[in-house]
Amino acid sequence: EAQVTQNPRYLITVTGKKLTVTCSQNMNHEYMSWYRQDPGLGLRQIYYSMNVEVTDKGDVPEGYKVSRKEKRNFPLILESPSPNQTSLYFCASSATSSGELFFGEGSRLTVL
Amino acid sequence: KNQVEQSPQSLIILEGKNCTLQCNYTVSPFSNLRWYKQDTGRGPVSLTIMTFSENTKSNGRYTATLDADTKQSSLHITASQLSDSASYICVVKGALGGYQKVTFGTGTKLQVIP
């Protein structure tokens, strides 16, 4: 089954404790991206990647890092989480630059 | 600045009734427009895609329209079902700037009640 898998789905952590949210897709898509979704603000792009070892900032990259060492994986790293990073995070992939976005099930992160 | 505005923010309708959701955008030049459905606690799923040359496209009980001149799109849901309760997000892709130039609306939250 074609899918985008995120882990963990739910996480409560404390300020400053580094964490990684993993994202993996099995559709051989070149394009992958991370979004955060907050009430009233909609989805906002954090980082995106157009291919292995090619990543770039989206609209809200501060406090986040990513890497793309393999085509299928695109982890999101929070080096020192802060409470304003409490949000619902989505990873997405697409086959082309204008193609349909396939989203993961989301990762709800709470930073205390 | 590219913007996508959706209305209404929320909507409650009776099961079996029709409804129309609106999307206005300022993204230019335009590449395509997609409507996504997001069930509570789930990731968005694409319903339809509209390109510049398309006026109307249907996907079962969902019909999307596009007026590229006025930069407006609508999503019409016919004979609503309880399973239509979800948020509907309008997403516009610009023709410049590559992959990252996708602008999301904040969504319309639809509740279908028995």
Side-chain angles (χ1 to χ4, degrees):
Chain A
E1 179 189 357
Q3 60 185 2
V4 177
T5 303
Q6 296 179 226
N7 279 296
R9 294 288 313 281
Y10 303 92
L11 179 63
I12 300 174
T13 190
V14 295
T15 299
K17 187 175 182 181
K18 180 180 178 180
L19 68 92
T20 299
V21 185
T22 64
C23 174
S24 180
Q25 52 95 2
N26 63 1
M27 294 168 280
N28 202 36
H29 286 170
E30 292 193 355
Y31 299 85
M32 298 186 74
S33 49
W34 275 102
Y35 302 86
R36 60 178 290 173
Q37 187 175 38
D38 301 290
L41 296 178
L43 286 154
R44 293 180 292 168
Q45 191 181 66
I46 303 171
Y47 268 94
Y48 66 95
S49 170
M50 292 185 284
N51 213 327
V52 175
E53 302 293 0
V54 181
T55 64
D56 208 345
K57 297 176 181 178
D59 297 319
V60 289
E62 294 78 19
Y64 305 95
K65 287 175 58 177
V66 293
S67 69
R68 188 95 181 269
K69 292 183 170 54
E70 305 167 281
K71 196 172 187 178
R72 63 184 292 126
N73 296 323
F74 190 45
L76 178 70
I77 303 158
L78 285 73
E79 293 271 3
S80 183
S82 62
N84 65 11
Q85 292 179 297
T86 292
S87 187
L88 179 59
Y89 291 86
F90 287 100
C91 178
S93 72
S94 62
T96 66
S97 62
S98 59
E100 175 184 352
L101 291 168
F102 290 84
F103 287 87
E105 291 296 290
S107 296
R108 185 169 291 282
L109 171 65
T110 301
V111 183
L112 302 175
Chain B
K1 181 181 177 182
N2 290 332
Q3 288 186 310
V4 175
E5 295 185 355
Q6 294 187 241
S7 61
Q9 280 191 323
S10 61
L11 183 62
I12 300 174
I13 62 173
L14 289 173
E15 186 179 12
K17 297 296 186 182
N18 304 334
C19 68
T20 300
L21 314 179
Q22 299 288 346
C23 173
N24 297 337
Y25 62 93
T26 62
V27 177
S28 182
F30 170 85
S31 176
N32 64 57
L33 181 150
R34 293 183 186 270
W35 284 92
Y36 285 81
K37 178 186 179 187
Q38 184 177 20
D39 293 317
T40 301
R42 309 292 298 273
V45 176
S46 178
L47 290 174
T48 66
I49 175 174
M50 306 292 291
T51 57
F52 187 86
S53 59
E54 296 174 308
N55 297 119
T56 304
K57 184 176 285 186
S58 292
N59 177 5
R61 295 181 295 102
Y62 300 102
T63 299
T65 66
L66 175 66
D67 185 335
D69 292 331
T70 61
K71 295 184 170 58
Q72 296 179 323
S73 176
S74 66
L75 181 69
H76 185 76
I77 303 175
T78 304
S80 61
Q81 300 176 358
L82 298 178
S83 59
D84 292 330
S85 294
S87 289
Y88 292 84
I89 303 171
C90 177
V91 183
V92 182
K93 173 73 169 64
L96 299 177
Y99 176 66
Q100 74 278 20
K101 291 305 179 186
V102 174
T103 307
F104 292 83
T106 54
T108 292
K109 188 169 185 177
L110 173 66
Q111 186 177 357
V112 180
I113 59 175

